[in-house]
Amino acid sequence: MFPTQRVRRLREHGIVRDMVCETSLSTNDFVYPVFVEEGLNGKTEISSMPGQYRHGLESLLTLAEDCVNAGVRSLILFGIPKEKDAVGSQAYAEEGIVQQALRALKNRGFPLLLMGDVCLCEYTSHGHCGLIQGHAVRNDPTLPLLARTALTQVQAGADVVAPSDMMDGRVAAIRQELDTHGFETTPIISYAVKYASSFYGPFRQAADSAPQFGDRRSYQMNPANVREGLREASLDVDEGADVLMVKPALAFLDVIHRVREANDLPIAAYNVSGEYAMVEFAAQAGALDHDRVMEETLLSIKRAGADMIFTYHAPAMARILRERHGA
Ligand code: PBG
């Protein structure tokens, strides 16, 4: 009891504060999402995501070099193809934009872990993550296409694949396809607990992937549910997922925590486009201190239980950490 107990004693000296610090960020924590657009010369800023761009292939190589210099260790690629069609052919074409980008990055030998996002929505004319029949998104016929997308990405140089489509059974389908082709040691980071969230708005603008009719509620989760998320996670564990992702992050910190507690696998969280946009626009308006809010935000995701964070803040945060630790 007070005055015997004084919590402030451990807050007096800066070094003591550092010693009792329970959570810290490291450049090992981040995966940086990057957009690559087929046929683009240079880069175009994404108006809803200040500081983020759609890159042409040459510009992507420059970006990769900047990332390495900033201390970023991993990229996840999202593609914007020239042509979209009903079956999302460019997602699994050997000359698809993500496959080209992976090959170009691999050839340069950057010290980066390369990930491919496995989904059809950026490549389908209707903007849904799977094949459609009428207005229904079909599950089972989509699985071979997702498996082929993952395989072509790995053949092009992806070190990790991350399916974000939310079809049932896709982790098993991808695992089997990779194993059959000799890629049994390539990890799958499953977007296991992915919500039908309005925080994806800026991403869909960036990737031109908004559904042309309806919404994603028949395959992505209801933001009201957490037990269902635990079920999604355990099914993906059974199917062979190596890492479980929760997405979005900030409005779902409790879900990250619950998934962390219920599983032994590493946990990823995706600090999505809308979460990034909120910080950037509020800082631009002078309402928030950008760097401090960014750090506090990422720290909250780590504290909730994420081992890795997919975030558009990766280069900015990595640069700060490097300067601070002189690494
Ligand atoms: C593809 C996909 C989406 C995001 C990552 N992969 C969009 C969606 O599901 O509509 C969102 C990422 C972000 O908002 O930053 N399915």
Side-chain angles (χ1 to χ4, degrees):
M1 272 315 192
F2 180 83
T4 316
Q5 298 283 346
R6 283 185 192 269
V7 189
R8 289 185 54 188
R9 281 185 206 121
L10 297 180
R11 296 186 194 135
E12 195 65 24
H13 197 295
I15 296 177
V16 174
R17 283 199 298 274
D18 288 346
M19 284 174 161
V20 301
C21 175
E22 298 177 33
T23 314
S24 56
L25 294 167
S26 138
T27 53
N28 293 324
D29 300 337
F30 308 128
V31 180
Y32 182 39
V34 170
F35 299 94
V36 53
E37 179 174 346
E38 191 173 21
L40 180 68
N41 272 321
K43 60 180 182 179
T44 322
E45 189 166 22
I46 300 162
S47 60
S48 54
M49 300 174 73
Q52 304 302 316
Y53 299 82
R54 293 174 170 209
H55 294 271
L57 278 178
E58 273 307 310
S59 172
L60 177 70
L61 297 176
T62 311
L63 174 79
E65 198 170 326
D66 293 346
C67 283
V68 171
N69 292 332
V72 173
R73 307 200 67 197
S74 180
L75 307 182
I76 181 164
L77 297 182
F78 293 92
I80 300 141
K82 259 192 192 143
E83 304 286 343
K84 306 193 186 215
D85 60 31
V87 294
S89 317
Q90 289 304 305
Y92 39 88
E94 269 168 37
E95 288 304 314
I97 181 60
V98 163
Q99 287 80 356
Q100 288 184 49
L102 287 164
R103 253 177 249 122
L105 289 165
K106 259 283 140 43
N107 283 340
R108 293 287 186 97
F110 292 110
L112 288 166
L113 183 83
L114 301 177
M115 301 191 186
D117 180 87
V118 177
C119 195
L120 300 188
C121 66
E122 296 124 63
Y123 309 92
T124 52
S125 41
H126 45 77
H128 280 289
C129 303
L131 294 177
I132 56 167
Q133 189 171 38
H135 276 189
V137 176
R138 301 281 317 276
N139 194 90
D140 300 9
T142 303
L143 299 180
L145 304 184
L146 295 168
R148 208 190 307 168
T149 302
L151 178 64
T152 55
Q153 290 180 352
V154 172
Q155 285 170 334
D159 302 299
V160 174
V161 287
S164 66
D165 52 280
M166 289 298 277
M167 298 301 119
D168 288 325
R170 93 283 203 188
V171 172
I174 291 169
R175 187 69 274 156
Q176 194 188 348
E177 184 82 349
L178 295 182
D179 289 1
T180 306
H181 291 84
F183 297 109
E184 65 279 348
T185 58
T186 301
I188 298 175
I189 298 182
S190 173
Y191 288 65
V193 188
K194 177 171 173 180
Y195 289 91
S197 168
S198 298
F199 284 97
Y200 308 149
F203 173 98
R204 291 183 189 167
Q205 206 174 318
D208 190 20
S209 67
Q212 297 304 298
F213 60 84
D215 53 43
R216 302 209 201 290
R217 285 183 295 177
S218 79
Y219 45 106
Q220 298 180 349
M221 283 183 46
N222 181 346
N225 295 354
V226 62
R227 292 193 306 270
E228 185 187 354
L230 297 175
R231 187 166 175 229
E232 280 281 5
S234 69
L235 288 170
D236 282 6
V237 174
D238 293 344
E239 288 183 32
D242 299 285
V243 177
L244 299 169
M245 189 197 288
V246 175
K247 174 183 175 194
L250 290 182
F252 300 88
L253 292 172
D254 59 322
V255 180
I256 297 173
H257 184 70
R258 292 283 299 273
V259 173
R260 159 79 295 156
E261 297 277 288
N263 293 280
D264 296 325
L265 264 54
I267 306 297
Y270 201 133
N271 177 218
V272 301
S273 56
E275 299 171 351
Y276 172 83
M278 290 197 300
V279 173
E280 298 301 314
F281 286 116
Q284 273 184 15
L288 295 175
D289 179 320
H290 177 272
D291 289 358
R292 285 168 186 263
V293 169
M294 171 176 71
E295 183 165 5
E296 195 173 320
T297 298
L298 295 169
L299 205 53
S300 76
I301 299 170
K302 188 95 186 274
R303 194 187 62 237
D307 300 288
M308 58 186 94
I309 306 172
F310 288 58
T311 180
Y312 303 93
H313 293 300
M317 194 65 235
R319 205 169 272 121
I320 290 173
L321 292 171
R322 275 208 155 174
E323 281 166 14
R324 188 178 299 162
H325 302 300

